[in-house]
Amino acid sequence: MILLQKAEVDNKTVITEFVLLGFGKVPELQTLLFLVFLVIYVATMVGNILIIILVVADQHLHTPMYFFLGNLSCVETCYSSILLPQMLTSLLTGDRTISISRCIAQFYWFALLACTECYLLAAMSYDRYLAICKPLRYSVLMNGRSCLWLAAGSWLWAFVASTTTVCLMSQLTFCGPGEIDHFFCDLNPLIKRACHGTELITRLSFILTSIGVPFPFLLTLASYVCIISTILRIPSATGKQKAFSTCSSHLTVVTLFYGTITIVYILPDTDTLRDLNKVFSVFYTVLTPLANPLIYSLRNKEVRQALRKITCKLMVLKGI
């Protein structure tokens, strides 16, 4: 139950908690949804942590591509830990309340990690562009220092954008009703629940989104236009297949991430489409972190070989 304060702002009652409705409209499926999301969470954590371990432990994976993959897996691990535990708790206990401070904190980490993921995917596409389109200059252009700058820049821009937005959000007062028809705390629902003074944060979030989101997307798109153009000019079918195999896993992840997130933010915010919006939100917030290790482990020869080596070493140590 939402706790109400006695104070009123412009005849609106100030609240201290939100209720994340989530998937509460289908009470008969709560147990099934809990089990499904629990399996997804465990598989996501195990898969991404395993990718990080492989990238760190195997010398053959100490390349720019796998450096960015390790960063991406780190993002996905944190990403899932921000959203899924809260969802699992609400499905298990039926308690969907969340304090305003926790809600803002959840949005902060969600925004930071989502923004970082956009830029890391762009950095990975740029890496594949250099590898396929500029192979003779690849080692010079994509050296260790370049990788560190690209990764650090991804985290830094995300930190600045999300911190600035949350600093303004933390100054807002929120009024009832306190129900949010979503399974996590996103920007638009939070702004709609503010009592007043949302003009500045609305304009700032629009500016930051306009600057921050199109750039990595357009960089990723331009990289793949050049990559596909270069691959089509390769005379042999074997050469084309080999070149495409080096970026097919990343292209699959990019398509899944941008495809679902675009649908979510293009769909009108109406009552009839809200449930559909939540379903597509599950794809980019829950299923994409799960798909990342699966796609790279199943479709990537180097990752499979590294996994096989570590498995063999563990079996030798255990005397199997």
Side-chain angles (χ1 to χ4, degrees):
M1 184 177 181
I2 301 174
L3 299 177
L4 302 179
Q5 296 179 346
K6 294 182 179 180
E8 293 187 351
V9 180
D10 296 334
N11 295 326
K12 295 180 181 179
T13 307
V14 176
I15 60 173
T16 59
E17 290 182 344
F18 291 120
V19 175
L20 295 175
L21 297 181
F23 301 98
K25 294 181 181 179
V26 282
E28 66 280 2
L29 296 179
Q30 299 300 291
T31 303
L32 177 61
L33 288 173
F34 172 79
L35 294 174
V36 169
F37 285 123
L38 179 62
V39 171
I40 290 174
Y41 180 52
V42 173
T44 300
M45 297 299 289
V46 171
N48 282 290
I49 291 174
L50 183 59
I51 290 288
I52 295 171
I53 292 172
L54 292 176
V55 170
V56 173
D58 196 300
Q59 293 289 332
H60 294 93
L61 300 184
H62 290 181
T63 62
M65 175 182 174
Y66 295 107
F67 171 76
F68 292 125
L69 177 58
N71 273 267
L72 184 62
S73 293
C74 180
V75 168
E76 305 287 30
T77 301
C78 299
Y79 203 54
S80 298
S81 298
I82 294 301
L83 301 179
L84 279 172
Q86 172 70 33
M87 189 193 306
L88 290 171
T89 301
S90 65
L91 288 171
L92 183 63
T93 64
D95 182 10
R96 299 183 180 87
T97 60
I98 181 172
S99 67
I100 288 177
S101 59
R102 282 182 59 200
C103 195
I104 292 176
Q106 186 188 65
F107 166 72
Y108 172 75
W109 288 108
F110 163 75
L112 188 150
L113 294 167
C115 186
T116 303
E117 182 165 0
C118 289
Y119 278 87
L120 285 175
L121 289 174
M124 294 174 76
S125 67
Y126 177 65
D127 171 72
R128 292 300 84 202
Y129 160 75
L130 292 178
I132 294 174
C133 303
K134 309 284 184 181
L136 298 179
R137 301 183 62 195
Y138 176 75
S139 59
V140 176
L141 296 174
M142 190 57 70
N143 52 39
R145 187 175 181 180
S146 300
C147 294
L148 287 174
W149 275 109
L150 287 171
S154 300
W155 287 96
L156 182 60
W157 168 252
F159 172 78
V160 171
S162 56
T163 301
T164 305
T165 304
V166 166
C167 283
L168 290 176
M169 184 180 292
S170 62
Q171 299 176 18
L172 297 176
T173 304
F174 297 92
C175 296
E179 293 183 343
I180 295 178
D181 194 8
H182 216 322
F183 58 86
F184 71 95
C185 299
D186 205 355
L187 177 64
N188 289 333
L190 286 175
I191 290 179
K192 288 180 180 179
R193 297 296 178 270
C195 301
H196 58 79
T198 60
E199 294 81 5
L200 181 59
I201 189 172
T202 301
R203 291 175 183 173
L204 177 67
S205 62
F206 176 77
I207 293 171
L208 291 175
T209 302
S210 300
I211 295 173
V213 176
F215 176 72
F217 173 73
L218 292 175
L219 178 59
T220 303
L221 182 63
S223 296
Y224 273 104
V225 168
C226 295
I227 287 170
I228 293 172
S229 176
T230 301
I231 290 176
L232 291 176
R233 291 199 299 268
I234 297 176
S236 67
T238 304
K240 289 180 180 179
Q241 184 178 4
K242 185 178 179 181
F244 184 73
S245 65
T246 64
C247 60
S248 58
S249 297
H250 177 256
L251 181 59
T252 304
V253 172
V254 166
T255 303
L256 179 62
F257 178 76
Y258 277 112
T260 53
I261 201 172
T262 300
I263 293 174
V264 166
Y265 289 102
I266 284 181
L267 283 177
D269 186 17
T270 61
D271 293 335
T272 55
L273 294 177
R274 199 161 291 150
D275 290 335
L276 185 61
N277 185 294
K278 277 192 282 189
V279 171
F280 280 107
S281 295
V282 169
F283 276 89
Y284 83 89
T285 58
V286 177
L287 296 183
T288 299
L290 172 65
N292 176 43
L294 290 177
I295 290 171
Y296 276 101
S297 60
L298 295 177
R299 302 186 63 179
N300 194 292
K301 184 179 178 180
E302 289 85 358
V303 173
R304 293 199 305 269
Q305 288 177 344
L307 180 59
R308 197 176 298 116
K309 287 179 184 178
I310 286 189
T311 304
C312 291
K313 288 180 180 179
L314 290 176
M315 291 177 67
V316 170
L317 290 174
K318 290 183 178 180
I320 298 177

